[in-house]
Amino acid sequence: MPDYTKDREAAWQLLNEYVKSETLLRHSLTVEAVMRHFASLYQEDPDLWGNIGLLHDIDFELYPDQHCRKTREILTPQGLPAEFIRAIESHGYGLVHDVEPRENVEKVLFTIDELTGLVSATALLRPSKSLHDLTAKSVKKKWKQKSFAENVNREVIEAGADRLGKDLNEIIEETIKGMRTVALAIGLEGNVETGVEAGK
């Protein structure tokens, strides 16, 4: 059995068994990239953090009404450790689950999951449609417009920032940096053709 905590290709293949939506696959790649970036900031294992990000919505497409509550049922038979599964469950804290984010990996996932949606929406409004010229200031400006990306739960992001003890501007800036590493794959490189077939 593959070690899904380390083997990125195996984790990507597992994700594709449960997720077919290109939008959700792109979101998974986005969160993976940001988690890898934050792992480096915290001097943690980027493969472990990245795969947690990659698989964080593995139950959402098939079980939208039981999101985060089907994760354990799916991942335990794959040999994944309890702490890996708990990290994924905790990103639904206060929304769909009562597992509270306590470790840094859990706090980061809880915070950036929603934030990546706001960053993506802001980038798509720019003439370049690119992350490469996007600033935290631009994202914060859109943050204040409650009608913009209204499905993004800003309270969750703020609560996550408080848990991390970090300034929101810093978190936004680092999230943008992480997303830039997969800009082409997630359609935010600019006006070029994109795709997620290889998960790159």
Side-chain angles (χ1 to χ4, degrees):
M1 182 177 292
D3 181 357
Y4 293 106
T5 67
K6 299 287 186 183
D7 189 335
R8 195 269 177 193
E9 184 57 34
W12 173 251
Q13 292 177 4
L14 179 63
L15 178 68
N16 277 265
E17 290 180 22
Y18 289 87
V19 176
K20 306 302 179 185
S21 161
E22 184 168 307
T23 299
L24 191 52
L25 288 172
R26 286 189 181 194
H27 173 65
S28 300
L29 291 174
T30 302
V31 173
E32 175 200 7
V34 176
M35 290 298 290
R36 284 181 173 275
H37 178 71
F38 272 89
S40 68
L41 297 178
Y42 281 92
Q43 298 183 320
E44 296 285 355
D45 183 349
D47 292 326
L48 175 63
W49 282 42
N51 283 0
I52 287 171
L54 189 64
L55 296 175
H56 82 286
D57 276 346
I58 194 167
D59 67 352
F60 185 75
E61 188 171 301
L62 293 179
Y63 308 103
D65 296 330
Q66 300 179 71
H67 182 39
C68 292
R69 287 175 284 163
K70 281 288 188 175
T71 303
R72 188 170 298 273
E73 180 180 316
I74 293 170
L75 295 182
T76 297
Q78 303 298 331
L80 281 155
E83 59 270 22
F84 186 104
I85 297 171
R86 188 189 192 284
I88 291 177
E89 291 175 330
S90 71
H91 87 274
Y93 178 67
L95 301 172
V96 295
H97 214 299
D98 60 0
V99 176
E100 185 175 358
R102 294 173 181 164
E103 302 298 327
N104 282 334
V105 64
E106 299 170 345
K107 295 175 186 177
V108 171
L109 179 60
F110 177 78
T111 306
I112 62 92
D113 182 35
E114 291 282 327
L115 180 55
T116 59
L118 183 64
V119 172
S120 295
T122 305
L124 285 171
L125 276 185
R126 301 178 70 78
S128 64
K129 298 189 183 301
S130 172
L131 287 165
H132 296 294
D133 58 358
L134 181 66
T135 65
K137 182 178 179 181
S138 295
V139 176
K140 279 300 293 288
K141 184 176 180 180
K142 289 299 182 183
W143 172 288
K144 296 173 183 177
Q145 299 178 20
K146 301 304 182 185
S147 61
F148 178 78
E150 59 185 355
N151 291 330
V152 172
N153 192 321
R154 290 155 170 81
E155 291 182 0
V156 166
I157 300 169
E158 289 176 328
D162 287 343
R163 286 178 179 274
L164 288 168
K166 289 187 176 293
D167 180 75
L168 184 58
N169 287 319
E170 178 186 353
I171 293 173
I172 294 171
E173 183 62 41
E174 297 301 338
T175 296
I176 293 170
K177 289 178 182 178
M179 291 175 65
R180 283 174 181 159
T181 66
V182 290
L184 181 61
I186 64 175
L188 295 174
E189 179 73 19
N191 298 308
V192 295
E193 293 295 322
T194 63
V196 298
E197 293 81 2
K200 302 296 184 184

